[in-house]
Amino acid sequence: MSRPAMPGFLRHLVLLWGLRFDIGLNRGPGKSRLLAVGVFLASSAPGLFLGLFFFALMRLGPVARSGVWPYFILNLLCFVTFSVWVTWPLLSAGVDDHSELSRYAAFPISPYRLLIASTVASLFEPRALVFYAPLTGAALGFASVHRMRAPWLAVGLYVLFALLCAAWSRVALYAVINVLRAKHSARIMGGGMVAFLLAASFIPPIDTSWLTEMGETGVSALDMTLIINAAVALGQVPPGFFGDGLGQLALGRLRIALMEAGGLFFFAATGMAVAYALLMRFHRQAGRAGARATESGDTNPFARTRTRFSTLVMREALDLWRNPRARLLASVPFILAILLKLLSGRDLFVFLLGRSADAWLMGGLCIYGAVVIASTFSQNTFGYDGQGFAVFLAAPVDLADVLRAKNGVQAAGALGMAVLVALFYRVYFGFGTTVDVLCAMAAVAAVVPVLLAAGNFLSLLFPVKFHASLKRRDKVPLTASMLGIFAASTGCMPFGWALRLAGKDGPTWQTAAMIALCAGLNVALYRGVLPLALRLLDQRRERVLHAVTRE
């Protein structure tokens, strides 16, 4: 009998898409594929509106007739799209997609081909459709206004740009997981953030005086030399080759556009090579023990706990403190604050929001820090500690106390994170009143109970396994992700409503009291639904155990 032919690349790609789809849906008995597909389409829907908006913007009379604005908008969107894709693993702590080689090692496919197929498959996820939508709409709008020479090359430029973003996103992802896997990951991340802070202090901030020079005359008062120089500069970096290439095709310069396509291909291939090297380095080290805190034999953290509940709280606090993903999440708001000051982002917010700018910025950073800590662990509260749930079932403890301890530690971590971010903002920027700080803290106190209440039910209805060694992590179902986003948005509404009512005059003590009142109502809501979650935990304990301990 002859051996069956090895599947081709397209067949591998189709298989990988199918497996990713099933894993993303957390497929199992009784799961509705139709509902999951509907959630997929709903999560991608914002991309349609963003694409239509930028399509209409490029066809707008003043923009379409301008010889500068279309190219500036295209090149700026190229840079922003690339930056979001590359930084997304850090912003979302996305250590989920690194497991392709280990999960599919038994497949008849080479590791490098698997990496390429996985990278291409990542371009068709809901977040990719949303991220690429503005640039796609702008490019189509530009092509509908300007006669393009060799339209086939424009399509090729778009494909190469997408591969460039996907390749360097993988570089960032695999760099992150290598750092998390390192023996001294906490020191590396802490030292890196300090080095970044020092380096940023030597870089002069961007001049934003043009904001005040605009006055009431609007955009027409801008010095177009500034826009022209920005468009040229953005077009000379690799992500800008796509926008610049479209401009060259509109001018009939086919040779220059071909050179732009070659540059995109070169940098995309370089990114794939670097990503492959980083991924193989991670898998060579996968058999080693992960980063562990050194403990001396004389210091027992449980020696001073007098009750069973306090012991559970101590255990959860230590698990959260030693979790590499929590360390990564804790660094993100500070990095965003440093970038915000480096890019003079606060000046832009002051121009738009007036005296409310610091409340919006401080509150936004604090909420982000609290949300990424609380939602990441509360929505998988029985799976992120590996075999912890099996230990709890075998131990003489009440599972209700386990859930309460987990919620308490997650809430404390989120609130503590918000306090540190607020203090850092006040010291680093030198702005922000007492009322701004109180509004930010009240906003965090309002969103955390909603996240915990939603996380309890999502952990019981959509349990997934997280390997603490970072060797593999099962994907959270798309339905659960969308419900988590909805819960976070609901919890943030009081903060947004209160600051909108305050307007540009800045928040007052009444604003802080309004947000604090909503926080109290959300705490009451959490306490009201907690008994229901505890009953559901007792009913589904075996299903949860099977889900979080499966191999």
Side-chain angles (χ1 to χ4, degrees):
M1 176 181 290
S2 60
R3 295 180 58 186
M6 180 177 294
F9 175 74
L10 291 179
R11 180 58 179 166
H12 277 138
L13 192 58
V14 171
L15 290 172
L16 186 58
W17 274 335
L19 285 170
R20 278 194 160 207
F21 189 69
D22 286 341
I23 294 172
L25 302 182
N26 201 21
R27 292 287 292 167
K31 299 295 177 62
S32 172
R33 180 178 289 267
L34 182 61
L35 175 61
V37 172
V39 174
F40 178 93
L41 295 176
S43 62
S44 305
L48 177 62
F49 298 104
L50 290 172
L52 292 175
F53 171 79
F54 281 95
F55 179 82
L57 178 64
M58 297 298 284
R59 292 176 59 89
L60 195 64
V63 176
R65 291 190 297 268
S66 173
V68 178
W69 284 108
Y71 304 99
F72 172 74
I73 294 173
L74 273 176
N75 292 344
L76 180 62
L77 286 176
C78 288
F79 180 77
V80 171
T81 303
F82 178 82
S83 300
V84 170
W85 257 111
V86 173
T87 57
W88 186 252
L90 179 63
L91 297 178
S92 63
V95 295
D96 306 352
D97 298 334
H98 71 279
S99 59
E100 305 291 3
L101 286 183
S102 60
R103 190 186 297 276
Y104 309 129
F107 279 31
I109 182 173
S110 65
Y112 193 69
R113 177 185 281 196
L114 182 58
L115 173 63
I116 296 176
S118 175
T119 303
V120 174
S122 68
L123 295 174
F124 295 89
E125 297 177 350
R127 64 185 180 188
L129 300 179
V130 175
F131 289 163
Y132 281 98
L135 181 59
T136 303
L140 291 175
F142 181 84
S144 67
V145 174
H146 299 81
R147 183 180 178 84
M148 307 290 291
R149 184 181 179 185
W152 57 269
L153 184 55
V155 176
L157 286 168
Y158 181 84
V159 173
L160 289 173
F161 174 79
L163 292 176
L164 173 75
C165 294
W168 284 98
S169 175
R170 289 303 168 114
V171 172
L173 173 64
Y174 300 148
V176 167
I177 64 174
N178 272 283
V179 170
L180 294 181
R181 186 67 190 180
K183 184 177 181 180
H184 302 291
S185 61
R187 299 178 186 177
I188 294 174
M189 285 186 287
M193 192 173 70
V194 171
F196 180 50
L197 180 61
L198 292 176
S201 64
F202 290 101
I203 300 176
I206 295 176
D207 183 18
T208 57
S209 59
W210 57 273
L211 286 173
T212 57
E213 293 174 0
M214 285 174 56
E216 299 181 356
T217 58
V219 180
S220 59
L222 283 176
D223 183 6
M224 293 307 294
T225 305
L226 176 67
I227 304 301
I228 294 172
N229 292 337
V232 172
L234 291 171
Q236 291 177 345
V237 295
F241 290 172
F242 171 61
D244 192 67
L246 290 183
Q248 299 299 335
L249 288 177
L251 297 174
R253 300 170 181 172
L254 182 60
R255 180 177 298 179
I256 299 179
L258 285 171
M259 294 176 61
E260 305 273 15
L264 286 173
F265 177 80
F266 172 77
F267 286 106
T270 302
M272 290 298 297
V274 175
Y276 181 73
L278 289 172
L279 183 58
M280 294 305 295
R281 183 181 185 276
F282 170 79
H283 282 285
R284 284 195 299 268
Q285 296 181 347
R288 302 179 184 178
R292 295 179 180 275
T294 56
E295 298 179 6
S296 62
D298 298 330
T299 57
N300 180 7
F302 301 102
R304 299 179 181 178
T305 56
R306 298 183 178 182
T307 64
R308 184 177 299 172
F309 183 75
S310 62
T311 302
L312 291 173
V313 171
M314 178 62 71
R315 179 192 182 278
E316 294 301 324
L318 290 175
D319 279 348
L320 187 63
W321 175 260
R322 295 171 180 173
N323 192 291
R325 199 179 191 196
R327 298 170 183 171
L328 175 63
L329 290 167
S331 65
V332 174
F334 301 100
I335 295 176
L336 291 177
I338 296 172
L339 287 175
L340 189 67
K341 185 174 183 180
L342 182 62
L343 300 176
S344 300
R346 182 185 174 276
D347 295 337
L348 177 61
F349 279 94
V350 170
F351 176 77
L352 296 174
L353 302 172
R355 296 180 180 178
S356 299
D358 291 304
W360 278 105
L361 287 175
M362 185 186 299
L365 290 173
C366 290
I367 289 175
Y368 180 80
V371 166
V372 294
I373 288 291
S375 63
T376 298
F377 297 100
S378 68
Q379 293 177 17
N380 189 21
T381 194
F382 299 111
Y384 71 82
D385 58 351
Q387 304 294 328
F389 192 59
V391 174
F392 287 134
L393 286 180
V397 296
D398 188 359
L399 287 182
D401 290 339
V402 174
L403 186 59
R404 292 191 185 96
K406 287 177 175 290
N407 284 177
V409 171
Q410 291 156 6
L415 293 172
M417 185 73 190
V419 171
L420 292 177
V421 172
L423 292 176
F424 180 79
Y425 182 94
R426 182 64 185 84
V427 174
Y428 187 57
F429 285 88
F431 293 96
T433 64
T434 302
V435 175
D436 295 335
V437 176
L438 291 177
C439 287
M441 294 299 101
V444 173
V447 72
V448 168
V450 178
L451 292 175
L452 294 180
N456 289 339
F457 289 100
L458 292 176
S459 298
L460 295 171
L461 298 175
F462 302 95
V464 294
K465 182 174 182 179
F466 176 75
H467 299 252
S469 64
L470 295 179
K471 185 177 180 180
R472 189 176 69 209
R473 180 185 187 272
D474 291 341
K475 285 177 176 286
V476 176
L478 187 58
T479 305
S481 299
M482 295 305 300
L483 291 174
I485 294 174
F486 176 76
S489 302
T490 303
C492 295
M493 284 181 180
F495 177 72
W497 288 339
L499 287 189
R500 284 195 185 97
L501 291 176
K504 291 188 176 182
D505 296 331
T508 61
W509 291 98
Q510 288 79 7
T511 306
M514 185 186 306
I515 303 175
L517 177 61
C518 294
L521 294 176
N522 288 346
V523 171
L525 173 66
Y526 163 77
R527 294 178 63 89
V529 300
L530 183 60
L532 178 60
L534 295 178
R535 289 196 299 270
L536 188 62
L537 171 60
D538 189 61
Q539 296 171 6
R540 297 179 59 88
R541 54 192 297 169
E542 296 299 331
R543 294 184 182 180
V544 174
L545 176 64
H546 174 71
V548 302
T549 58
R550 66 180 185 266
E551 292 295 340

